[in-house]
């Protein structure tokens, strides 16, 4: 069967990389990039304007392009969600429910990203197991827990082949960073390159799980390609690569730019970071569909620095 893929949130941090990777696999004419705003000038491919809260518009696009798979990435992040919790619920949970209902009607295969934000202060801080306490304190985390349960429900009740990963903090260079907490680890490169300086809203010592975007995209595609019988988790898989604190990243950036300095002025996002774990046990993903990462902190820092430097001049 011909694959026709719809990607929501297509010009966001993950979408910008994932759309290109999917275009490589199935051809540019088979990937429909969906966003609430116009595509960046550099975008090549099929682009549609829609809001994921608009179920009728989504359905019209699914019919128009005979969509077979949806990578539903659109959503607000942790800090953005705290600014407008009602909007976060409507977009993050309402948007997912729209996609899942359409998946039942049109037999769509679905990918939806969850996050380490499902964990909260009562979750163990180290080596968080796949099945553990989920009591997040952010609206974004509440949305992600609800979404995970919705995915599992649509799988068991309606047989929707929906798959999900709990993304850690992701470092990519193609799109600007969104309104999240771990995004300090992207902003810092812009500060280092533009000003030789960065004021970090996350404090020293705050170790968080992180991953280079190429690993995240490869893992996402690997999960979606895995045989159905290998998928033992229908809420969302723990998914991990590396972990570091801001000062670890600063040291790596200083290898590329010895003049770079960083100061620490934690704000409300620090409380969010404090509620999340430091390390994740993702052995289930490694066992079920052979997940493994390729990038460590040293390797990803060198690439991020070089690519963002080329981008901003
Ligand atoms: C955020 O910080 O909000 C996101 C996430 C970890 O899901 N990057």
């Amino acid at each position: 069967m011909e694959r026709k893929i719809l990607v929501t949130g297509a010009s966001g941090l993950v979408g910008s990389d994932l759309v290109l990777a999917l275009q490589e696999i199935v051809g540019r004419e088979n990937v429909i990039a969906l966003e609430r705003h116009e595509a960046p000038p550099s975008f090549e491919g099929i682009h549609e304007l829609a809001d994921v809260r608009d179920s009728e518009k989504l359905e019209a696009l699914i019919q128009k392009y005979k969509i077979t798979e949806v990578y539903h990435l659109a959503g607000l992040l942790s800090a953005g969600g705290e600014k407008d919790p009602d909007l976060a619920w409507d977009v993050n949970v309402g948007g997912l429910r729209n996609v899942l209902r359409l998946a039942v009607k049109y037999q769509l295969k679905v990918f939806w990203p969850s996050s380490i934000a499902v964990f909260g202060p009562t979750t163990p801080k180290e080596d968080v197991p796949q099945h553990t306490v989920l009591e997040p304190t952010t609206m974004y985390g509440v949305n992600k827990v609800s979404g995970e349960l919705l995915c599992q429900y649509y799988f068991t009740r309606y047989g929707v082949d929906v798959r999900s990963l709990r993304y850690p903090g992701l470092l990519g260079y193609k799109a600007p960073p969104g309104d999240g907490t771990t995004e300090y680890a992207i902003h810092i490169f812009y500060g280092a390159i533009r000003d030789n300086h960065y004021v970090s809203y996350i404090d020293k010592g705050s170790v968080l799980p992180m991953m280079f975007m190429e690993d995240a995209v490869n893992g996402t595609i690997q999960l979606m390609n895995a045989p159905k019988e290998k998928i033992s988790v229908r809420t969302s898989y723990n998914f991990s690569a590396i972990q570091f604190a801001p000062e670890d990243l600063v040291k790596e950036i200083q290898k590329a730019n010895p003049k770079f300095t960083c100061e620490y002025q934690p704000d409300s996002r620090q409380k969010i970071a404090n509620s999340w774990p430091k390390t994740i046990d993702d052995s289930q993903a490694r066992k079920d569909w052979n997940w493994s990462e390729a990038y460590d902190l040293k390797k990803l820092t060198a690439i991020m620095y070089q690519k963002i430097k080329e981008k901003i001049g």
Side-chain angles (χ1 to χ4, degrees), residues 77-79 114-117 140 144 167-170 179-183 276:
L77 295 178
S78 55
S114 185
S115 158
I116 54 163
Y140 176 63
K144 290 297 189 192
Y167 282 156
L170 300 179
D179 202 0
T181 301
T182 57
E183 276 62 15
W276 291 347

Side-chain angles (χ1 to χ4, degrees), residues 236-251:
S236 188
Y237 276 99
N238 277 5
F239 184 53
S240 178
I242 55 172
Q243 52 282 321
F244 57 80
E247 66 272 24
D248 303 321
L249 182 55
V250 168
K251 269 193 214 135

